[in-house]
Structures are given as structure tokens and as C-alpha cells.
Amino acid sequence: MTKVQATISSFWSKGSEKKAKPRTDGGGEGVADATEPKRARKENVQSSNSVEVMDREADVKVPKTDAGTVQDDAEAKKVEVEKETTTEERATKKKAVAVRKLTSETGEKSKNAEAETSTDKASGATWKAGQPVPYQFLAVGFGKVESITGRLEITDILRRMFQTIVETTPEDLLPAVYICVNKLGAPQEGLEIGVGEGILIKALSHTCGKSVNALKDEFRKVGDLGDLAASMKASQRTVFKPAPLTVRSVFKEFKAIAKSSGRSAMDEKRARIQKLLVASEGAETKYLARAFQGKLRIHIADKSILAALAESFPRPEETVERVGSDMSAASLLTHAYNQHPVWDTMLNYLLNNRVVDSGILDACKLTTGVPISPMLAKPTKGIDEVVEKFSDQPFTCEYKYDGERAQIHHLADGSIQIYSRNAENQSEKYPDVKLAMKDVLGPDYSNSEYILDAEVVAINPQTNHILPFQSLQTRARRDVSVAEVKVAVCVFAFDLLYFDKPLIHDPLKQRREKLRACFVEKEPVFTFAKGCDMNDPGEITDYLHESVKGGCEGLMVKQLLGPAATYEPANRSQNWLKVKKDYLEGLTDSLDLVPIAGYYGKGKRTGVFGAFLLACYNPESEQYETTCKIGTGFSEAQLTEFSEFYNEKDRIIGGRKSYYVFSGSTSLEPDVWFEESQVWEVRCADLTVSPAHTAAIGSVDPEKGISLRFPRFLRIRPDREPQNASSSEQIMEMYLAQP
DNA sequence: GTGTCCTGTGTGC
DNA sequence: GTCAGACCCATTCGG
DNA sequence: CCGAATGGGTCTGACGCACACAGGACAC
């Protein structure tokens, strides 16, 4: 018993030093098939096979009992660990709480764990504590997760995976989490894998010997490169079996692929991908391929990982009142992550402390130099909805500028860093902004650290008028000097998140006062977003029209006071609403267009067309001119319906009709061409000059056509014939009528 | 070797 | 960016 | 009073356009 105690206490007290000592006690054994979904609440099936990994792991540390049913296991462990608790209490209170919490939680869970018998024992990957976790372990878990849709179950499977890793090889938790979220590091580090469909297909082709074109055809049918890779691999005989992949080696290899650059970088990437694919087995192949492509497609993202991590560690009751002490484990982690979105920091804390407590908010705190996930606004369908939601509270309306979100940090070292909405470091792109920010701080504040939330918008430097988003896009991104800047820009600041201390818990009114007190406008490069505080919702309409006239997309409506007016990072909160002009009567851009081609759907759209090529009609030339692709706005039933419709009665034709005007753009090249048959009503936000589409070509630009921004399907127009679709001329007029 | 064009990839919205 | 679908959870409805 | 129905909120993954950048292919 003493020996076991030593094991357990070392388990709890051991920090997460980078190099965890190999365990000397023989260690636990991880089991790849750790993932039977727990269906406790749904079905009460009992099975002697339904031992959770947690329990097995506990068995290793606790003297073995004759494992029988789950209940027995759980009881046995509970007893043992409770004995531990008394021992632990002599050590530190915190630990004691932690252990007790774990006891009650896992004990309870185990009791309810009448999970179904797992049928997937195929992998059989096991490893000893301290040894690298096999990648197979994750891959098998991904398979389970993918096969179900319930969030609770998904979270539970992830939880078990994480707990197993923590108990065997905690230093693998970080790479495991990164593999789960399919990222290579914090976004501001700017590491991208640089692999897509193309390279992956090439690599596959080299691996399996099939031609690239054959694989592309297969891919169209299968709709998923992971599934395709897996089926290729399954049909192949492995001559000799390379060493099994591990979580850490795979993650390391991902990074290596990302970092390869320069001459023949593509060859190197391809070679590394091939090596991994060759070494992979079963589910590994599928998820490796998907990881390269950047889509794991297993219904998990950051939020699910946070939820699972929250359940992977005990949540002690906190006696001392402090910020967050009353929060649930999940909301604690979410808050911590949202204000400091770096997995390394979070996992470091969790592994060091082995609890989820409010201390994590100190570990993951709002810091200049670490971009926070920006607060987002909820789309509304119109002003009525705003009125309904903000009936009594005071609110403010701000112009919604059509530019790029920018989070501007002033660090303690005096440097300025600019981050995008997705936390990419954009500082290189905006040397002019960095320069301008040097003197926007009011007197007495020049040494203050701050985080500003703003929108960067292209402007005409002569008139100071706002330019469309398309102009902003043409700015160079890398290694730009002030002299090289081609498109002038104005920063419209609208929030202040940090000013020598975090402000996100203050109401907007206060933050805004601080913003206006500490910063000075510097026309035309730095101004405060135009806004207007209102009590009467009736004023909104006029203001909206005004904003649109000023070149904006609409309005942001925000609560000013009270708890609903704090800054909620990463939340698409009800407290910020956006009213876009394209939802409003009279300002709506709606067109009638003709589907002339289709694209095979991928992923969950496999088997139906996932998108269509739409055209307008030019009565003068009697030709159809492509206007946009469309792939959203359909229900699943409609997609099925349209696929059936176009597959009937020779509506799919051998090739492009001579009177379909197509630019030849490879990315638009359809899978099949259609007979012009229907008219669809489509909505968009704007019309744009297009290098790829041919609608009204030559009218606003000698070589370019017109296309749609944010097109979505509304409905079929059964009352219209293709020749009555919107005309090229109408589209040109709509383009010219834009503010 | 150098310049130009094309393609794939990753950003922004 | 838009959008639909699935799930979860709280609330309301109906027997 | 309790289970069923309902509705709002959240999360995920389909898909859109335009652009810059990096590397590869090709011509000279």
C-alpha cells in the first residue's frame, strides 16, 4: 500500500516538467480503444467489457482487484482512492480536495458507465506510462467521435482520451490537443501547413501508384480525401511495417511540413506526407489525410476540446471568494481560453495543478501581445428584432465599417502589434498604422499598454471617403514598408479592452469613455467609429440609411450598461447585434439567375451537387454569362431534389454550350454542365468586379465581369423562364447603383 | 540565370 | 462571410 | 404533477468572392 500511495501522490504532485521522469513503478498501460461512448442516461445495458480507461488506469495505480463488472471496479477504486484521500489530507488541503472530487466524480461516472460493448478492438495499441502515446489512440478515438453526433457523448469520449494521456504520458497532452483542433500552434505564430487537395493527391498518387487523374475521379465520388486515402491504403499490402506513429512524432512532422520552404519545398512536403501515410494504419490514414487538408470533420472544434478538458480534471470547490470561483469547470476554461487563446498556457496550468480552478484565470490572463478572440455580433433579420431584444436598455448604434477587424496592441516594450479577427499577426501589413499609432495616445499616457478593437478601412486619401473592401484587399501583406503602401487606410476604433489593466469586465459605456479620454483622433488615419446613443428604436432606420450612404455595411447595435455590456471574447453575443443592409426591404439585392453547371458535393454533401454555377442572360448576345457559384441557402432536401432534377431527362449535357460565356477560370471549372432549365432567386450583399465571372463583362471593366458577394439561394422562380432571368444590363445597373 | 505566368494555398470578408 | 442541421437545455403545454 | 412538445442558443461544417504570396513550370 505504501508503494501505491507513493505512486498516487507523485501522480498528483508531479508537475509537468518538460521531461517527465520515466515511471519506475511499472506504470499504467494506455489502451487505444478507450472510447466506448457512455450511454448511461440512454440505455441501461450492462457489460463486463465496459471498463473506462480511467478505471483501468486507476486499477494500475491502485492494487488490482479481481476486475469483474464495472460496478465492482468502480467500488474497488473508490474505496482505495478514499484511503488515499486521508493520506493526502496530511499533505495539502488543495490536493485533498482534488482527490476527493476525482473520487466522487469518477466513482459516480463509473457506476453509470454501462456502455455498450466495443466492437472495435482492431487497433490494440497499448503503451506503457511514460511512453509516447500512439497516434492510433487518437485516430481510433476520432473514429468513434465521428460516428456520433451528440455533444455530450463526444465530450465524454474526448475526456477519456485526455484523461488516459494525462495518466500515462502527460507530456503528450499538448500535441494531442493540437492534433484534435488540427492546428500547429497559436495563430499569431503564423505557422501554416501549406498542404491542400493538390499536394495531398500527388502524395497519394505516389504512395499507391494510381494516377493523379484517377484519384481525382475517385475523390469526386468519395467526397472525402481521408476516406479515399484509407480505402487506397486498405487495398494495399504493406511489405514491411514501419514503426508505429506516435502523437508527438506526428505533430512534430506536421510542423516540419509547415516549416519547409524555398526551392523544392513542395517535393519535401510531399515526401514527408508520403512517409506518414505509408507508416499509417487503419483509422490513422484517414485522419492524417484529413489533417493535411485542414478538415478533420469529426464535429469537434475548440469549444468541444475545452469542454472535454474541463471534465478531464477535477473541479474543486473553492472556499475563497474570487473571480471565477463559482463558475463551472467548462466556463472557467472557456473564459480563460477566450482571453488568452494559447493551448500551451492552458495545458501547462492544467498539468501543473491537475485541477480546474479559478487560478487558471490568472494563468491565462488578458495580456498585450497575445491576441484575444474578438467579440462577435449576432446577425439580425431587421430592426424589429433589435427593438425586441433591446426594448428597455440604453444602447448605442455604430457604423459597421466594411474593412478588416484589427486588434491593436501596444506592448510594454513600446512595440505595436496588429492582429486580425482570427488572431493572425498583421503587423507587417500595416506599417502605416503602426506609425500612426505612435501619436494617438493622449498626453500622460504614452507609456500605457493597451489593446484596441477597431476596423481598418481603405480610404481615398484625397477625399477621405471610405473605399470598398475590395480596395483594402489589394494591399500587400508581407514585409511592407511605409513608403510602399499603395492603399491608404483609416483605423476606426470602437472599443478598448485593456489599458494598463483589463477592461473587458467594464460596461461598454465605461470602456468607450476611457477610449475617448485616453486617445486622440488623428484624421484621417485614426478616428473613433461613428456612433449614436439612442433610446428610441425608431431612430435606427434613419441612422442605418445614413451609414449605408457613408459606405458602410449597416449598423452594430450594442448594449451600453450593466452586465450585458461587458466585452465577451469569442462570443457571438446577443449583446452586440448587427443589422446589415441586405436584410432590409428596399436595400435588398435579389437576382434571378439560371443554374448552368454543377459541382459534386464534398463531405456531408457527398452524393449530391454541393454547389452550382449561376448565370444571367444577355438578350443582346443571346448568351448566358456566369455570375456566381452558389452553395448555401439550400436545405438538404432541396439539394437532393436539385441533384435528382438535373440528373433526369438529359439535363446534364456533355460539355459547355456555345452560348454559355465562361472565363476558363480553373477554380470555376464545373464537374457537369446543365441544360438551362430553371430560374433561381438569389440574394447577395454586394456586387463586385470579378476576374472570374463574365456577367456584364466589359461594362464596368474592359476585361472583368460582375459577381456577387455572399450569394445565397432563396427559392426557385417557377414563374420564370431562363430567358427572363436577370439581364446583364440589370446587373450592371445594380453594380453602378451601389453607394 | 532571369523573367513571366500559372497553380495551389491561405487569408480576409 | 451565409446558412442549415443537430443537439442541448429551459420553459411551456397538455393530459 | 409529470412527461411531451417547443423554442432559443450553441456548435459544426457545408458552401460563396477576391486577393496576395510562394513555388513550380516554362520560355528565353
Side-chain angles (χ1 to χ4, degrees), chain A residues 462-530:
Chain A
Q462 271 82 50
T463 63
N464 287 354
H465 282 163
I466 287 173
L467 295 177
F469 179 71
Q470 246 179 315
S471 328
L472 181 67
Q473 269 188 303
T474 62
R475 277 181 67 118
R477 293 178 189 158
R478 308 296 287 267
D479 199 20
V480 185
S481 70
V482 177
E484 291 166 336
V485 170
K486 295 255 162 50
V487 178
V489 118
C490 178
V491 175
F492 290 91
F494 55 79
D495 214 324
L496 184 58
L497 315 185
Y498 189 100
F499 200 82
D500 293 327
K501 61 171 202 255
L503 303 175
I504 56 176
H505 301 295
D506 298 341
L508 173 60
K509 191 147 191 266
Q510 232 167 291
R511 299 199 304 274
R512 206 180 54 184
E513 274 161 17
K514 186 99 180 161
L515 170 69
R516 292 181 180 167
C518 302
F519 291 80
V520 285
E521 294 190 310
K522 195 186 165 209
E523 302 265 6
V525 287
F526 181 84
T527 55
F528 302 128
K530 198 165 174 197

Side-chain angles (χ1 to χ4, degrees), chain A residues 135-136 139-140 143 281-288:
Chain A
Y135 181 64
Q136 183 80 249
V140 171
E281 226 183 336
E284 290 179 326
T285 316
K286 171 156 134 186
Y287 295 109
L288 273 178

Side-chain angles (χ1 to χ4, degrees), chain A residues 519-722:
Chain A
F519 291 80
V520 285
E521 294 190 310
K522 195 186 165 209
E523 302 265 6
V525 287
F526 181 84
T527 55
F528 302 128
K530 198 165 174 197
C532 179
D533 297 357
M534 293 178 189
N535 294 306
D536 176 14
E539 301 167 40
I540 300 179
T541 312
D542 288 346
Y543 205 55
L544 177 61
H545 281 92
E546 204 184 302
S547 79
V548 173
K549 261 186 228 151
C552 291
E553 290 184 280
L555 294 177
M556 301 288 285
V557 191
K558 302 174 180 175
Q559 301 254 33
L560 272 176
L561 293 171
T566 59
Y567 192 92
E568 299 174 60
N571 258 9
R572 202 173 279 284
S573 156
Q574 296 286 354
N575 305 328
W576 282 16
L577 303 176
K578 60 176 165 188
V579 190
K580 295 191 77 172
K581 61 172 192 277
D582 50 306
Y583 288 114
L584 298 180
E585 294 298 325
L587 287 171
T588 303
D589 280 326
S590 162
L591 298 88
D592 297 319
L593 300 173
V594 183
I596 58 167
Y599 304 83
Y600 299 131
K602 293 171 189 169
K604 64 182 174 188
R605 299 239 175 120
T606 302
V608 294
F609 292 119
F612 302 87
L613 182 61
L614 300 184
C616 63
Y617 186 63
N618 183 338
E620 269 111 73
S621 64
E622 300 184 338
Q623 289 180 322
Y624 290 90
E625 298 167 352
T626 71
T627 310
C628 66
K629 282 211 295 178
I630 194 151
T632 193
F634 311 102
S635 67
E636 283 177 5
Q638 283 171 324
L639 284 173
T640 312
E641 185 192 314
F642 292 145
S643 294
E644 282 166 4
F645 178 80
Y646 283 102
N647 274 299
E648 285 165 3
K649 300 190 179 161
D650 300 323
R651 289 193 184 99
I652 290 177
I653 53 183
R656 179 171 62 87
K657 291 204 175 187
S658 57
Y659 52 89
Y660 290 173
V661 189
F662 185 66
S663 71
S665 148
T666 47
S667 65
L668 284 182
E669 191 66 51
D671 292 318
V672 293
W673 290 94
F674 296 155
E675 187 76 43
E676 74 271 31
S677 314
Q678 288 186 327
V679 178
W680 292 356
E681 187 179 353
V682 159
R683 174 172 292 175
C684 65
D686 294 297
L687 291 95
T688 58
V689 175
S690 170
H693 289 283
T694 55
I697 193 161
S699 61
V700 295
D701 180 293
E703 279 149 21
K704 294 179 177 175
I706 293 173
S707 186
L708 311 183
R709 192 177 183 201
F710 312 144
R712 59 265 197 195
F713 174 83
L714 287 184
R715 62 183 74 81
I716 305 185
R717 294 289 307 254
D719 53 321
R720 290 218 167 191
E721 292 299 315

Side-chain angles (χ1 to χ4, degrees), chain A residues 98-237:
Chain A
V99 172
R100 205 180 298 126
K101 185 75 180 178
L102 175 78
T103 308
S104 64
E105 244 188 56
T106 52
E108 212 179 282
K109 280 184 179 166
S110 309
K111 272 193 208 167
N112 291 332
E114 302 87 356
E116 70 197 33
T117 314
S118 164
T119 49
D120 188 344
K121 296 282 178 194
S123 68
T126 61
W127 71 99
K128 292 225 187 309
Q131 296 298 304
V133 177
Y135 181 64
Q136 183 80 249
F137 176 66
L138 287 191
V140 171
F142 288 170
K144 298 279 182 181
V145 171
E146 187 185 356
S147 69
I148 56 176
T149 50
R151 317 253 21 114
L152 298 175
E153 257 180 88
I154 289 175
T155 309
D156 205 58
I157 292 173
L158 291 172
R159 186 208 97 224
R160 271 184 258 186
M161 290 166 59
F162 293 154
Q163 282 183 335
T164 303
I165 294 171
V166 169
E167 300 215 343
T168 56
T169 318
E171 65 268 37
D172 275 358
L173 187 60
L174 183 65
V177 163
Y178 270 121
I179 288 173
C180 288
V181 294
N182 207 20
K183 285 171 195 157
L184 298 168
Q188 60 269 29
E189 289 166 21
L191 206 52
E192 302 305 331
I193 192 139
V195 174
E197 230 170 84
I199 304 174
L200 189 50
I201 286 181
K202 267 185 209 157
L204 264 178
S205 154
H206 277 76
T207 321
C208 71
K210 292 204 178 188
S211 77
V212 167
N213 279 337
L215 284 173
K216 278 186 179 161
D217 284 347
E218 283 286 311
F219 174 41
R220 286 197 194 109
K221 273 185 241 153
V222 178
D224 180 287
L225 277 177
D227 295 333
L228 178 62
S231 67
M232 296 283 116
K233 184 83 184 162
S235 65
Q236 280 197 322
R237 215 159 37 88

Side-chain angles (χ1 to χ4, degrees), chain A residues 435-454:
Chain A
L435 187 67
M437 297 309 289
K438 294 259 185 249
D439 45 18
V440 297
L441 274 172
D444 309 332
Y445 296 119
S446 56
N447 290 322
S448 294
E449 281 182 72
Y450 64 76
I451 302 176
L452 269 179
D453 203 353

